[in-house]
């Protein structure tokens, strides 16, 4: 490919809309252009990278025995109503109507559609197991799309679905996909971690996330410093490691806390530690309100609340609902006199003489104690894990690192097959629901995550496997016949070797060419200039290390091939 005939609209300035590194660099490198909120054009350079991710995914999925198909992106509401998800999936589901006023959605995922396909054609255990996958555009109407391709509304995704006759077979299919995912991310040249995860709106019995480790990641990975336990923030288990104090119970008293509403404000006003405050959140769990108490220095975990109640939906109550449940305004809720059941986190259950909201404006109550002033309906793990917490597996200590979710696998069980009457005949002729699994990879997110993990102050530092071009051939004087002759020869040989070169044949200054090559992140640069040619050499520079060496012209392509192999 010749730079002068290609389309790479690089930018010198960082666009105001860009927030994270990948967003900034993809815009500056001419890889994407925003069309609407969370919706992007994939420009040629960006599309090359996305296709490379797709090729790796497709190869590894095929090697794992999965079979590719393609399903429509627009799906009829009837299928979603069959599964029960139409009414509770949430506002992220883009609902549309056709000219006949029939309801559809633009698919954020395809569990219902694939279940309909399989129930239509597979009726016997003899045709199982089977794993079907696609690579396709999805749409999720995120409330706050941001970070470019990291959290867009429209995105490319690989989603696969396995169907088995029993749990044992489903577990084998799940493990097969887990290993395939490891091979995919290793083939992409990424550092990643596999973590226990919550099943979320997809549902199912258990799941794992694949997290690309990056300091700029928006997700948190909880890991043990002594064993191999890892989980995302939603799933990480907080064990009951607390011993209740034997301190004498003090009489409770209401105190005015003017202009003090948050835990930090109340702690500062009363000159007490945040750990001696217990905050009470009023939460709507499906169609009922409950109170959830966590320690002031801890954060409530909505996923754990949802799982505890086996709920379909969980959300914070409205100000009106809070006043109905507590008799007081939002921000000053407390458990004493509450009209709804109150559930406590393990850490709160060990507290004595603690501070809570008084259900009165700008008022809190000191020296509150459960068992005397109110009763818990139950006690469980309702909070986010923190660094230093005890590991639920070995008793070690948790540490937290940042990561980016790029893949998620689920064991669905019969969640969709039972709801949609998708059955097969077993060896005894009895009808049984398929045991399903679901496996997703955010293809466009992988591309962005690779940049988050591989960049410097000059621009992108692509892993060779994903680089849009592996080599950039840079003649410094395009009007010099000898320089261009050597550049053309080196370019042709590299191209014939399959090393995907880009020939920068623009009549530009050396600094402009070098800056663009570094911004785009091409792994190896070959620079052809008059002075080095006089010595019979060219310069070969490695983008990742910045090292430059002079190489004889006749050995240039051989050396480039060696470097590409070393970087792979």
């Amino acid at each position: 490919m010749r730079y002068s005939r290609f389309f790479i609209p690089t930018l010198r300035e960082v666009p105001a809309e860009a927030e994270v590194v990948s967003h900034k660099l993809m815009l500056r490198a001419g890889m994407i252009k925003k069309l609407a909120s969370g919706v992007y054009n994939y420009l040629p350079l960006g599309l090359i990278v996305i296709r490379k991710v797709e090729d790796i995914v497709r190869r590894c999925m095929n090697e794992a025995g999965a079979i590719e198909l393609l399903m429509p992106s627009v799906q009829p509401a009837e299928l979603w109503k069959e599964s029960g998800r139409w009414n509770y999936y949430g506002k992220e589901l883009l609902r549309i109507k056709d000219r006949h006023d029939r309801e559809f959605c633009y698919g954020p995922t395809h569990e219902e559609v694939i279940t309909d396909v399989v129930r239509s054609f597979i009726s016997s255990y003899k045709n199982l197991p089977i794993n079907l996958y696609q690579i396709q555009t999805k749409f999720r109407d995120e409330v706050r799309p941001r970070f470019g391709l990291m959290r867009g509304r429209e995105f490319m995704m690989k989603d696969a679905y396995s169907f088995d006759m029993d749990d044992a077979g489903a577990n084998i299919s799940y493990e097969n996909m887990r290993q395939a995912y490891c091979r995919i991310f290793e083939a992409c040249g990424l550092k990643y971690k596999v973590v226990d995860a919550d099943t979320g709106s997809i549902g199912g019995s258990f799941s794992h996330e694949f997290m690309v480790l990056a300091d700029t990641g928006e997700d948190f990975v909880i890991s043990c410093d002594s064993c191999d336990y890892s989980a995302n923030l939603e799933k990480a288990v907080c064990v009951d490691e607390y011993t209740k104090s034997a301190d004498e119970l003090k009489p409770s008293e209401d105190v005015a806390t003017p202009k003090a509403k948050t835990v930090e404000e109340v702690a500062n006003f009363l000159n007490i530690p945040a750990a001696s405050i217990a905050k009470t959140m009023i939460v709507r769990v499906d169609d009922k309100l409950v109170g959830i108490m966590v320690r002031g220095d801890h954060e409530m975990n909505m996923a754990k609340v949802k799982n505890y109640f086996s709920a379909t939906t969980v959300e914070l109550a409205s100000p009106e609902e809070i006043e109905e449940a507590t008799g007081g305004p939002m921000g000053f809720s407390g458990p004493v006199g509450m009209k709804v059941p109150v559930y406590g986190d393990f850490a709160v259950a060990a507290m004595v003489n603690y501070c809570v909201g008084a259900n009165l404006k700008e008022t809190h109550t000191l020296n509150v104690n459960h068992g005397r002033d109110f009763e818990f309906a139950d006690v469980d793990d309702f909070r986010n894990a923190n660094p230093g917490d005890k590991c639920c597996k070995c008793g070690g200590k948790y540490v937290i690192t940042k990561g980016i979710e790029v893949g998620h696998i689920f064991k669905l069980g019969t969640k969709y097959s039972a709801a949609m009457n998708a059955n097969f005949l077993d060896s005894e002729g009895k009808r049984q629901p398929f045991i399903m699994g679901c496996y997703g990879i955010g293809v466009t997110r992988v591309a962005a995550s690779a940049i988050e993990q591989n960049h410097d102050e000059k621009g992108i530092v692509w892993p060779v496997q994903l680089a849009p071009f592996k080599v950039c051939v840079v003649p410094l004087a395009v009007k010099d016949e000898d320089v261009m002759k050597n550049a053309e020869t080196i370019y042709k040989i590299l191209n014939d070797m399959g090393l995907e070169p880009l020939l920068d044949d623009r009549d530009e200054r050396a600094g402009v060419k070098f800056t663009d090559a570094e911004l785009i992140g091409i792994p190896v640069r070959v620079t052809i200039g008059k002075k080095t040619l006089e010595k019979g050499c060219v310069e070969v520079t490695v983008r990742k290390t910045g090292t430059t060496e002079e190489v004889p012209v006749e050995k240039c392509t051989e050396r480039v091939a060696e470097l590409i192999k070393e970087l792979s």
Side-chain angles (χ1 to χ4, degrees), residues 231-252:
N232 67 10
L233 196 61
E234 288 184 331
K235 186 72 173 180
V237 175
C238 299
V239 299
D240 185 4
E241 57 177 325
Y242 305 97
T243 301
K244 190 167 184 177
S245 171
D247 290 352
E248 181 180 348
L249 304 189
K250 299 177 182 178
S252 63

Side-chain angles (χ1 to χ4, degrees), residues 291-367:
I292 305 292
M293 293 187 72
V294 298
R295 212 168 69 186
D297 58 337
H298 292 160
E299 294 298 324
M300 183 181 69
N301 185 310
M302 292 287 271
K304 291 181 179 180
V305 174
K306 181 179 179 181
N307 291 335
Y308 172 86
F309 289 102
S310 300
T312 300
T313 59
V314 173
E315 57 187 3
L316 293 174
S318 67
E320 294 76 20
E321 289 174 325
I322 290 172
E323 188 165 353
E324 175 189 340
T326 68
M330 184 174 67
F332 299 94
S333 301
V336 181
M338 188 86 74
K339 299 176 183 178
V340 298
V342 179
Y343 296 79
D345 181 72
F346 290 138
V348 178
M351 296 172 70
V352 297
N353 300 323
Y354 46 93
C355 174
V356 300
N359 298 321
L360 296 170
K361 185 177 181 180
E362 297 187 334
T363 306
H364 284 76
T365 306
L366 296 175
N367 301 323

Side-chain angles (χ1 to χ4, degrees), residues 97-313:
K97 291 185 178 182
D98 68 8
R99 68 178 66 194
H100 303 292
D101 211 34
R102 291 178 296 214
E103 291 182 303
F104 290 82
C105 67
Y106 196 110
T109 183
H110 277 68
E111 284 79 15
E112 285 82 0
V113 178
I114 195 66
T115 302
D116 179 59
V117 169
V118 170
R119 72 180 174 181
S120 300
F121 297 107
I122 295 181
S123 58
S124 170
Y125 74 97
K126 295 179 181 179
N127 302 117
L128 299 175
I130 192 169
N131 187 324
L132 301 169
Y133 79 95
Q134 65 173 350
I135 299 175
Q136 189 217 49
T137 299
K138 310 284 189 184
F139 191 95
R140 293 178 186 170
D141 200 3
E142 293 276 355
V143 63
R144 197 158 67 94
R146 52 192 177 141
F147 306 156
L149 302 191
M150 293 287 291
R151 190 168 290 281
R153 294 193 295 166
E154 182 181 280
F155 53 94
M156 296 293 293
M157 180 178 173
K158 188 284 301 179
D159 48 325
Y161 305 90
S162 62
F163 294 80
D164 283 271
M165 59 186 293
D166 53 29
D167 273 329
N171 289 340
I172 293 172
S173 294
Y174 187 92
E175 177 60 19
N176 183 36
M177 283 293 98
R178 191 189 69 78
Q179 293 180 16
Y181 271 40
C182 291
R183 290 192 292 271
I184 287 169
F185 296 119
E186 287 163 6
C188 287
L190 300 175
K191 298 175 184 176
Y192 69 96
K193 204 170 188 68
V194 187
V195 303
D196 290 350
D198 186 67
T199 56
S201 61
I202 301 296
S205 53
F206 58 82
S207 71
H208 290 87
E209 285 178 351
F210 291 75
M211 309 282 281
V212 168
L213 303 178
D215 292 337
T216 52
E218 62 172 335
D219 298 315
F220 291 95
V221 179
I222 311 295
S223 303
C224 177
D225 64 0
S226 301
C227 72
D228 62 354
Y229 178 78
S230 291
N232 67 10
L233 196 61
E234 288 184 331
K235 186 72 173 180
V237 175
C238 299
V239 299
D240 185 4
E241 57 177 325
Y242 305 97
T243 301
K244 190 167 184 177
S245 171
D247 290 352
E248 181 180 348
L249 304 189
K250 299 177 182 178
S252 63
E253 59 173 318
D254 290 345
V255 294
T257 52
K259 298 182 179 180
K261 189 174 182 179
T262 66
V263 168
E264 183 180 6
E265 290 168 346
V266 173
N268 290 335
F269 183 84
L270 297 175
N271 195 28
I272 58 176
S276 66
I277 299 172
K279 50 190 176 185
T280 308
M281 272 72 67
I282 310 303
V283 178
R284 172 166 288 283
V285 179
D286 289 338
D287 58 352
K288 68 178 181 180
L289 295 175
V290 299
I292 305 292
M293 293 187 72
V294 298
R295 212 168 69 186
D297 58 337
H298 292 160
E299 294 298 324
M300 183 181 69
N301 185 310
M302 292 287 271
K304 291 181 179 180
V305 174
K306 181 179 179 181
N307 291 335
Y308 172 86
F309 289 102
S310 300
T312 300
T313 59

Side-chain angles (χ1 to χ4, degrees), residues 237-533:
V237 175
C238 299
V239 299
D240 185 4
E241 57 177 325
Y242 305 97
T243 301
K244 190 167 184 177
S245 171
D247 290 352
E248 181 180 348
L249 304 189
K250 299 177 182 178
S252 63
E253 59 173 318
D254 290 345
V255 294
T257 52
K259 298 182 179 180
K261 189 174 182 179
T262 66
V263 168
E264 183 180 6
E265 290 168 346
V266 173
N268 290 335
F269 183 84
L270 297 175
N271 195 28
I272 58 176
S276 66
I277 299 172
K279 50 190 176 185
T280 308
M281 272 72 67
I282 310 303
V283 178
R284 172 166 288 283
V285 179
D286 289 338
D287 58 352
K288 68 178 181 180
L289 295 175
V290 299
I292 305 292
M293 293 187 72
V294 298
R295 212 168 69 186
D297 58 337
H298 292 160
E299 294 298 324
M300 183 181 69
N301 185 310
M302 292 287 271
K304 291 181 179 180
V305 174
K306 181 179 179 181
N307 291 335
Y308 172 86
F309 289 102
S310 300
T312 300
T313 59
V314 173
E315 57 187 3
L316 293 174
S318 67
E320 294 76 20
E321 289 174 325
I322 290 172
E323 188 165 353
E324 175 189 340
T326 68
M330 184 174 67
F332 299 94
S333 301
V336 181
M338 188 86 74
K339 299 176 183 178
V340 298
V342 179
Y343 296 79
D345 181 72
F346 290 138
V348 178
M351 296 172 70
V352 297
N353 300 323
Y354 46 93
C355 174
V356 300
N359 298 321
L360 296 170
K361 185 177 181 180
E362 297 187 334
T363 306
H364 284 76
T365 306
L366 296 175
N367 301 323
V368 168
N369 290 280
H370 48 277
R372 183 192 69 184
D373 303 311
F374 74 97
E375 296 289 345
F376 286 127
D378 197 8
V379 174
D380 210 295
D381 173 17
F382 293 118
R383 71 173 178 91
N384 289 339
N386 287 329
D389 285 343
K390 182 183 291 186
C391 173
C392 64
K393 187 174 180 180
C394 75
K397 297 296 181 183
Y398 285 156
V399 293
I400 295 185
T401 53
K402 284 189 174 182
I404 302 161
E405 180 196 340
V406 290
H408 204 159
I409 60 177
F410 305 80
K411 183 182 177 186
L412 296 175
T414 60
K415 175 180 172 65
Y416 294 92
S417 56
M420 297 180 66
N421 197 31
N423 302 307
F424 67 95
L425 295 178
D426 64 16
S427 59
E428 297 179 356
K430 296 180 180 178
R431 293 174 65 82
Q432 303 288 351
F434 295 103
I435 310 297
M436 293 175 58
C438 169
Y439 318 93
I441 287 178
V443 172
T444 42
R445 190 173 247 228
V446 168
S449 299
I451 297 173
E452 294 289 336
Q453 194 176 81
N454 301 277
H455 66 272
D456 59 19
E457 70 282 355
K458 295 178 181 179
I460 304 168
V461 185
W462 284 114
V464 169
Q465 300 91 322
L466 301 184
F469 300 99
K470 289 185 172 68
V471 189
C472 187
V473 179
V474 182
L476 296 184
V478 296
K479 294 179 181 179
D480 184 283
E481 185 177 347
D482 191 32
V483 168
M484 283 307 297
K485 181 181 177 181
N486 279 277
E488 292 279 3
T489 300
I490 291 169
Y491 167 73
K492 184 179 185 307
I493 295 172
L494 291 172
N495 196 51
D496 291 343
M497 294 171 71
L499 294 181
E500 303 170 7
L502 173 68
L503 175 62
D504 192 346
D505 58 344
R506 298 175 296 167
D507 188 10
E508 291 281 2
R509 292 177 288 109
V512 172
K513 293 187 175 189
F514 292 166
T515 297
D516 283 339
E518 289 166 344
L519 172 62
I520 293 168
I522 301 176
V524 177
R525 186 179 78 227
V526 179
T527 306
I528 301 100
K530 293 181 182 179
K531 291 183 179 180
T532 50
L533 278 180

